Amino acid sequence: MTDNRALGLAPPAKPSALRRHARLAASVPARADIVLVGDSLAAGWPSGHLPAGAFNFGLPGDRIQTTRWRLRAVPLGHLRPRTALLWLGTNNLRDGDPVAEILAGLAALGQDLRRLWPEAALVHVTVPWRAPVLGRAAGDRAALNAGLAALADGGLLDADALLGTEVRAARHLMADRLHLNAAGYAVMGGALVELLSPGSGSRPAPGGG
């Protein structure tokens, strides 16, 4: 690639995704303590496994560039969350984007969120193990996840540590070996509550760097 598409802005490509985005835009609450942005992994996170006061702005099929476009397309600044939770990257990996460019795109997205919500702590979720992608080096996902730690000023949810890889991960994945099942979200939800709980030692003051 000669240009980094993850640094750009692009609306959802599918009409169904645009319609779902419109429904999300119409359901934005007056306030939210946590805002979750990301792809289908984020969108599928059940409300019962998220802390109270969370708004899920995830959209199936999102790439980094799609999420950046959507954050500009909908007025969200009034939400003033304490935590912005990001779960993105697996679709950019599948598309063949180089790891360095994905990380640059995620860094730009983080800057977008800091401008939108200056007081929010930024928490990244790493890309879980998934069925191998044709043409993708086996180490690319691990390299991406290693780079995510430097972007998360509010903490990191390490999907591999929580869900495992390959055989162990299968217990937490649907049959497509990509999306999480209820057991997987229960694990992730419990880890998020622990990360954000007062006195955990993991959560900085809002706006901490």
Side-chain angles (χ1 to χ4, degrees):
M1 290 178 60
T2 57
D3 62 327
N4 185 353
R5 57 186 164 191
L7 279 172
L9 305 174
K14 295 181 178 180
S16 59
L18 278 170
R19 289 193 296 271
R20 182 161 177 167
H21 166 74
R23 291 195 295 270
L24 282 171
S27 68
V28 176
R31 286 293 299 272
D33 189 54
I34 300 170
V35 178
L36 173 58
V37 298
D39 50 38
S40 57
L41 293 170
W45 199 317
S47 59
H49 292 305
L50 283 169
F55 173 55
N56 192 334
F57 196 60
L59 187 74
D62 255 17
R63 279 79 173 159
I64 297 162
Q65 59 270 30
T66 320
T67 298
R68 297 190 71 205
W69 180 90
R70 295 197 306 114
L71 288 170
R72 286 165 170 78
V74 181
L76 296 169
H78 68 279
L79 293 176
R80 299 179 62 191
R82 286 177 51 82
T83 302
L85 182 63
L86 280 72
W87 203 354
L88 277 165
T90 194
N91 290 323
N92 290 88
L93 273 175
R94 186 191 61 194
D95 290 349
D97 296 343
V99 169
E101 295 186 0
I102 299 173
L103 287 170
L106 288 169
L109 175 57
Q111 292 171 1
D112 294 343
L113 292 172
R114 290 185 179 96
R115 284 191 292 268
L116 184 62
W117 303 311
E119 298 301 313
L122 190 60
V123 175
H124 277 279
V125 185
T126 64
V127 176
W129 183 88
R130 58 174 293 167
V133 178
L134 184 65
R136 192 89 231 189
D140 284 355
R141 186 184 65 87
L144 171 59
N145 286 343
L148 283 174
L151 301 179
D153 64 23
L156 187 76
L157 289 181
D158 185 339
D160 282 352
L162 293 166
L163 305 175
T165 59
E166 300 187 56
V167 174
R168 182 179 160 219
R171 300 199 301 268
H172 300 116
L173 297 177
M174 294 183 177
D176 61 6
R177 298 200 297 168
L178 170 62
H179 296 97
L180 270 62
N181 58 24
Y185 282 115
V187 171
M188 299 301 292
L192 178 61
V193 169
E194 182 178 355
L195 177 69
L196 301 183
S197 62
S200 69
S202 300
R203 181 174 181 162

